[in-house]
Amino acid sequence: MKIIILLVLFIAVYGIIENTLILTVRREDFGGNIKAAHISDLHKRRFGRGDSRICRLLEKEAPDVIFITGDLVSRTEENFESEEKLLKRLCGIAPVYMIFGNHEQSLPENEQKLLLEMLGRTDVILLRNRTVRTVIKDRNISILGLESAYTVYKKNGGYRGLDKVSVGDIKNLIGDCPPNEDILLAHNPLFAEAYSQWGADITLSGHIHGGAVRIPFTDIGLLSPERRFFPKYSKGVYTLGKMKLGVSAGLGKLRLFDPPEIVIYRL
């Protein structure tokens, strides 16, 4: 009985520490010369005043580019001052490309308007089903932002009968895969097969929060936001055909054995 009590106490204390103090960096090397930082799913979590811990970490890393793959905010937020301070500081470190996640999509109309106005006061490049072609380290790169229909996340107020994303849907939203190197930002990793079949070289996603609870000493996440157990793509790098899928466990939301993370890639 004492062992069980001590174990429960340990988990509780660790959970508090993990959800208030820890910020980790995960590094993934795809063998390239572009250093990219990947941020996802901040929600309402704050890492110091003005998210100073995130900013200091990325200033030290000095990435060539920063990608934000959605849910920077939560749908219940009405004030985006903290996010504005964070984004302005990040834009001073490297170009920032951002997509909407399901929380930005489901903001009430007035709050979404305020969010868009805030983003307009920064240098963030917002990709809502559009493509930007740029040069990074002498490489011609297409950066695409996919914003799927909200019904892939929630439908009729629940999680039954959710829509899926097909190759045809991707083509209808952002067109054919470009011929040069491409990086697809897609909030939801659960449709990775479609992204691969569409032709993406690299896809970066978030949304799953690492499965909220990671089973210790495994690569298994417990639960997806759609209330599905053991999501297929929860955290890490996955290879599907020629595509590399990088899934961030994100920064916000309650978690256990699943520390908040920023991912640094060599692309």
Side-chain angles (χ1 to χ4, degrees), residues 27 34-35 37 45 55 67 89 94 98 106 111 123 145 149 175 186 194 213 221 229 231:
R27 300 182 188 277
I34 294 174
K35 189 176 187 181
R45 182 82 182 271
C55 296
F67 297 117
R89 193 163 169 185
M98 174 180 166
S106 60
E111 279 67 34
D123 292 326
V213 176
F229 285 104

Side-chain angles (χ1 to χ4, degrees), residues 30-239:
F30 293 177
N33 66 337
I34 294 174
K35 189 176 187 181
H38 181 191
I39 294 173
S40 200
D41 299 272
L42 179 63
H43 292 286
K44 292 182 178 180
R45 182 82 182 271
R46 296 290 170 258
F47 291 84
R49 183 174 296 179
D51 289 304
S52 57
R53 292 170 61 200
I54 294 175
C55 296
R56 288 197 302 268
L57 186 155
L58 289 180
E59 285 168 350
K60 183 178 179 180
E61 290 290 339
D64 301 305
V65 63
I66 298 171
F67 297 117
I68 301 176
T69 54
D71 287 0
L72 181 71
V73 306
S74 287
R75 64 175 61 91
T76 55
E77 286 188 68
E78 298 177 348
N79 184 301
F80 307 110
E81 289 181 8
S82 294
E83 289 87 355
E84 183 171 357
K85 291 177 182 176
L86 170 63
L87 291 175
K88 286 182 174 178
R89 193 163 169 185
L90 293 182
C91 287
I93 299 171
V96 178
Y97 295 85
M98 174 180 166
I99 60 171
F100 276 4
N102 53 304
H103 277 253
E104 285 93 356
Q105 285 184 258
S106 60
L107 280 170
E109 184 177 352
N110 184 63
E111 279 67 34
Q112 191 171 105
K113 179 183 176 183
L114 292 175
L115 175 63
L116 289 169
E117 290 174 352
M118 179 274 283
L119 292 172
R121 294 192 293 270
T122 74
D123 292 326
V124 168
I125 302 164
L126 179 63
L127 302 177
R128 304 189 72 182
N129 292 323
R130 73 184 186 99
T131 303
V132 169
R133 293 173 177 81
T134 187
V135 176
I136 307 175
K137 291 290 186 72
D138 297 321
R139 290 162 58 187
N140 293 307
I141 307 287
S142 291
I143 303 172
L144 307 99
L146 178 67
E147 186 172 320
S148 304
Y150 185 67
T151 50
V152 307
Y153 301 106
K154 205 167 187 179
K155 192 174 183 181
N156 301 321
Y159 301 100
R160 293 181 179 273
L162 296 177
D163 291 338
K164 300 183 183 302
V165 175
S166 69
V167 174
D169 295 328
I170 301 171
K171 288 184 177 181
N172 288 336
L173 290 169
I174 55 177
D176 291 326
C177 185
N180 59 310
E181 290 186 89
D182 65 85
I183 299 170
L184 175 66
L185 307 182
H187 182 63
N188 194 333
L190 299 180
F191 306 107
E193 284 82 3
Y195 308 150
S196 174
Q197 292 166 15
W198 173 75
D201 294 321
I202 293 171
T203 298
L204 301 181
S205 300
H207 181 57
I208 306 297
H209 311 141
V213 176
R214 305 288 291 177
I215 298 175
F217 311 112
T218 76
D219 292 325
I220 300 173
L222 185 63
L223 190 67
S224 79
E226 292 78 21
R227 314 303 193 258
R228 300 289 189 269
F229 285 104
F230 310 116
K232 188 173 183 180
Y233 307 111
S234 60
K235 173 183 175 178
V237 174
Y238 306 84
T239 301

Side-chain angles (χ1 to χ4, degrees), residues 20-33:
T20 56
L21 299 178
I22 295 178
L23 175 60
T24 62
V25 175
R26 176 162 57 88
R27 300 182 188 277
E28 302 288 354
D29 191 348
F30 293 177
N33 66 337

